[in-house]
Amino acid sequence: MPIPTAQPGTLQQVIKEIVKFFKETLGADAAVIKTGKASDGGWEAQAEVIETSAHMKKVGVSKPVYDKNFYQISLDKNLNVTSYERKSQTGRSEA
């Protein structure tokens, strides 16, 4: 029996596209923490992304240090990303 795939425009497909976008764009895994339909028929979401700290790497810290960043992301009704912006950053943690 074939495994059903998410239909375009479903919540599952929206989450899949957001996770794929952050993996391809930032090379980081994302967790979608909030999503909803936008007034134009697209989608708005917030995602948590764990990224290697560029600042700590720049100053020469030898161990990997990670930042937890929160992004706002918008998709059109065809699930193409139209914008994304980092909204906040929380503490650093070592690997």
Side-chain angles (χ1 to χ4, degrees), residues 43-86:
W43 294 83
E44 296 286 331
Q46 292 177 359
E48 176 184 275
V49 181
I50 306 298
E51 299 175 82
T52 304
S53 174
H55 173 72
M56 298 304 274
K57 193 174 184 179
K58 185 177 178 180
V59 297
V61 174
S62 59
K63 289 184 178 181
V65 177
Y66 299 94
D67 293 328
K68 184 187 297 186
N69 299 315
F70 295 90
Y71 286 86
Q72 179 73 32
I73 184 166
S74 300
L75 298 90
D76 64 18
K77 63 184 177 183
N78 297 316
L79 303 185
N80 298 307
V81 173
T82 57
S83 67
Y84 76 103
E85 176 183 9
R86 186 172 72 191

Side-chain angles (χ1 to χ4, degrees), residues 2 7-8 17-18 24-25 29 31 34 36 43 59 64 69-71 79 82 87 89 95:
Q7 296 299 313
E17 290 300 318
I18 291 169
E24 291 174 353
T25 304
D29 293 324
K34 183 178 177 182
W43 294 83
V59 297
N69 299 315
F70 295 90
Y71 286 86
L79 303 185
T82 57
K87 290 297 196 176
Q89 182 179 61

Side-chain angles (χ1 to χ4, degrees), residues 3-53:
I3 298 172
T5 57
Q7 296 299 313
T10 65
L11 184 57
Q12 293 84 2
Q13 187 65 28
V14 171
I15 292 170
K16 180 181 171 184
E17 290 300 318
I18 291 169
V19 169
K20 178 181 160 189
F21 171 80
F22 282 113
K23 189 65 163 177
E24 291 174 353
T25 304
L26 302 178
D29 293 324
V32 177
I33 55 176
K34 183 178 177 182
T35 188
K37 282 272 197 178
S39 61
D40 63 359
W43 294 83
E44 296 286 331
Q46 292 177 359
E48 176 184 275
V49 181
I50 306 298
E51 299 175 82
T52 304
S53 174

